[in-house]
C-alpha cells in the first residue's frame, strides 16, 4: 500500500516531516516575482511562472531531507489554469526527485463527481480507448463528513492503484470545536469520524499494519493524540500545524506507535516562508528552506525514534 511507501521513505531519511508547499505571490522572493512580471506584466501567467520556479527550487533544496511534500492546491487554483499547469509540473518534478506527494485539496463529493475527483488526483481519465493519468499524486486529503458515499470512489482508486488518502478528522483551526467536538452518543464527533475512517479502510492494511485511509489530526491540540492513537491503531496520521504555537510539543510523539511509525508531521508552512523570516532579499531562499527543514527534522528526532 502507498502508506508503506511513505513509511519506507520516512525510515530511510529518519524524518517524519511533510513540507507544506503552495505559495501565494507574497510568499515568493521578490527577485523571482519581478523577473516574471517584467516578462508577462502583473498577470496570472507571471504569478504562475514565478510560483513554478520557486517550488522547483524548493524541491531541489529539500529532496534529500524530507520524505514528502504536501501541496496546498488552493494557491495554484487561485492562478487559474496556468496555476494548475504549474501544479502538474511541480508534482511530476517532485516524484522524479523521489518525494512522496500529498495533494492537499480536501476534496469531497458524491457519485460521479467524487469518482471524477479521484480520477483527477489519484487515478486516470479515459479518453476514447486510452487511460490518461492526470495529476498522479500519491495521496489526497479528503473531507469525509458527508459519509461513506463521499469516500468509496477514492478508496477504490487507493486500493487498485497503490495510493492512499488522509480524511479530515480533528482539524487544527479554532472553530473546529463548533462541530467536531460536539458529543454524539458516547463519543465526540471527531472520534466518531476516526472510527468510521478505520472501519471504511478495513481490509486494506499494508506491511506496517496501516490501512489505505489515514486521518488528519490537528497538532495544535496535542493532548488528543494519545487517545486517538490508542483508538485508531490501524490509521496513519497526518498531524497538521504542530508548531503553529511557537514550537513542537513533546506530546506530538503520541501520534506515533511504539516503533516510531504511523504518523507524518506537517510543518505549518515554516519551510516555505523561511526566507522571509531570515531577512535579506530572498535570494537565499533555498538555503533558508533547507535550514528550516533540518531544524524541524532534528527537533522531531529528539522526540521520536523511528525503527
Amino acid at each position: 500500500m502507498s502508506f508503506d511507501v511513505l513509511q519506507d521513505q520516512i525510515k530511510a531519511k529518519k524524518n517524519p516531516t511533510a513540507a507544506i508547499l503552495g505559495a501565494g505571490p507574497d510568499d515568493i522572493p521578490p527577485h523571482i516575482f519581478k523577473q516574471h512580471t517584467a516578462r508577462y506584466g502583473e498577470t496570472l501567467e507571471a504569478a504562475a511562472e514565478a510560483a513554478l520556479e520557486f517550488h522547483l527550487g524548493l524541491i531541489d533544496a529539500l529532496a534529500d531531507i524530507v520524505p514528502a511534500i504536501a501541496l496546498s492546491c488552493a494557491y495554484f487554483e487561485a492562478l487559474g489554469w496556468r496555476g494548475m499547469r504549474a501544479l502538474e509540473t511541480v508534482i511530476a518534478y517532485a516524484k522524479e526527485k523521489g518525494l512522496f506527494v500529498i495533494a492537499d485539496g480536501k476534496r469531497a463529493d458524491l457519485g460521479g463527481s467524487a469518482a471524477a475527483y479521484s480520477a483527477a488526483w489519484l487515478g486516470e481519465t479515459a479518453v476514447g480507448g486510452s487511460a490518461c493519468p492526470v495529476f498522479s499524486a500519491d495521496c489526497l486529503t479528503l473531507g469525509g463528513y458527508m459519509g461513506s458515499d463521499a469516500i468509496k470512489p477514492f478508496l477504490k482508486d487507493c486500493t487498485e492503484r497503490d495510493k492512499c488518502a488522509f480524511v479530515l478528522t480533528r482539524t487544527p483551526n479554532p472553530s473546529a470545536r463548533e462541530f467536531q467536538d460536539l458529543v454524539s452518543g458516547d463519543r465526540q464527533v471527531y472520534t466518531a469520524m476516526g472510527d468510521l475512517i478505520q472501519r471504511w479502510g478495513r481490509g486494506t492494511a499494508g506491511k506496517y499494519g496501516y490501512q489505505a485511509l489515514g486521518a488528519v489530526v490537528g497538532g495544535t491540540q496535542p493532548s488528543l493524540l494519545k487517545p486517538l492513537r490508542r483508538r485508531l491503531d490501524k490509521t496513519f496520521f497526518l498531524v497538521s500545524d504542530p508548531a503553529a504555537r511557537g514550537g513542537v510539543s513533546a506530546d506530538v510523539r503520541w501520534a506515533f506507535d511504539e516503533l516510531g511509525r504511523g504518523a507524518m508531521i506537517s510543518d505549518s508552512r515554516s519551510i516555505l516562508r523561511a526566507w522571509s523570516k531570515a531577512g535579506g532579499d530572498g535570494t537565499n531562499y533555498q538555503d533558508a528552506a533547507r535550514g528550516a527543514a533540518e531544524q524541524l527534522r532534528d527537533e522531531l528526532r529528539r522526540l521520536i525514534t523511528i525503527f
Side-chain angles (χ1 to χ4, degrees):
M1 298 303 298
S2 194
F3 278 132
D4 291 337
V5 175
L6 176 57
Q7 188 63 64
D8 284 339
Q9 294 185 211
I10 290 171
K11 286 176 62 180
K13 294 178 180 176
K14 300 296 182 184
N15 183 8
T17 304
I20 297 179
L21 305 185
D26 292 341
D27 297 317
I28 299 172
H31 73 281
I32 295 177
F33 197 72
K34 289 178 181 177
Q35 172 188 335
H36 293 285
T37 54
R39 181 176 181 183
Y40 299 109
E42 293 183 347
T43 62
L44 293 175
E45 186 168 10
E49 291 297 319
L52 177 60
E53 179 180 340
F54 181 48
H55 285 93
L56 297 185
L58 287 172
I59 289 168
D60 285 337
L62 299 172
D64 65 327
I65 299 173
V66 301
I69 59 171
L71 289 162
S72 299
C73 299
Y75 290 91
F76 295 92
E77 290 175 11
L79 303 177
W81 66 264
R82 297 167 183 85
M84 299 309 286
R85 181 178 62 187
L87 176 58
E88 184 177 4
T89 302
V90 168
I91 291 173
Y93 190 69
K95 294 182 76 170
E96 286 177 14
K97 291 287 188 174
L99 290 167
F100 188 91
V101 177
I102 303 166
D104 187 9
K106 300 179 178 66
R107 296 299 190 248
D109 215 322
L110 303 173
S113 296
Y117 275 133
S118 187
W121 292 102
L122 301 174
E124 299 172 328
T125 295
V127 182
S130 299
C132 302
V134 189
F135 291 105
S136 297
D138 298 301
C139 185
L140 177 65
T141 58
L142 303 176
Y145 280 96
M146 284 191 288
S148 60
D149 291 337
I151 298 298
K152 286 178 181 177
F154 298 96
L155 183 58
K156 182 175 184 293
D157 273 327
C158 286
T159 54
E160 292 180 355
R161 302 179 187 279
D162 197 24
K163 306 280 187 171
C164 58
F166 285 110
V167 184
L168 300 179
T169 305
R170 182 35 170 101
T171 55
N173 55 302
S175 63
R177 66 177 66 93
E178 295 173 359
F179 175 69
Q180 295 169 28
D181 289 358
L182 294 177
V183 175
S184 174
D186 61 349
R187 301 173 293 179
Q188 288 178 288
V189 168
Y190 74 85
T191 306
M193 174 55 68
D195 291 344
L196 283 170
I197 292 167
Q198 189 144 290
R199 186 192 308 167
W200 292 336
R202 191 175 296 155
T204 65
K207 66 180 180 180
Y208 292 108
Y210 290 98
Q211 299 177 158
L213 293 179
V216 177
V217 292
T220 54
Q221 299 287 330
S223 63
L224 305 180
L225 296 174
K226 188 173 184 178
L228 276 175
R229 169 47 66 215
R230 188 183 301 117
R231 187 180 191 111
L232 306 178
D233 59 326
K234 296 178 176 62
T235 302
F236 207 102
F237 287 175
L238 178 62
V239 183
S240 56
D241 296 341
R245 295 183 178 178
V248 177
S249 167
D251 286 342
V252 77
R253 69 188 187 278
W254 298 118
F256 297 80
D257 66 19
E258 65 277 6
L259 297 175
R261 301 172 182 170
M264 164 73 68
I265 308 298
S266 66
D267 78 304
S268 305
R269 296 170 63 82
S270 60
I271 295 171
L272 175 81
R273 294 172 173 159
W275 70 269
S276 62
K277 296 178 181 178
D281 59 4
T283 54
N284 67 335
Y285 77 95
Q286 290 176 298
D287 291 338
R290 187 176 180 86
E294 290 173 335
Q295 181 179 344
L296 180 57
R297 176 199 63 193
D298 295 346
E299 189 173 355
L300 290 169
R301 282 179 176 176
R302 288 192 288 271
L303 299 172
I304 303 151
T305 301
I306 301 170
F307 294 94

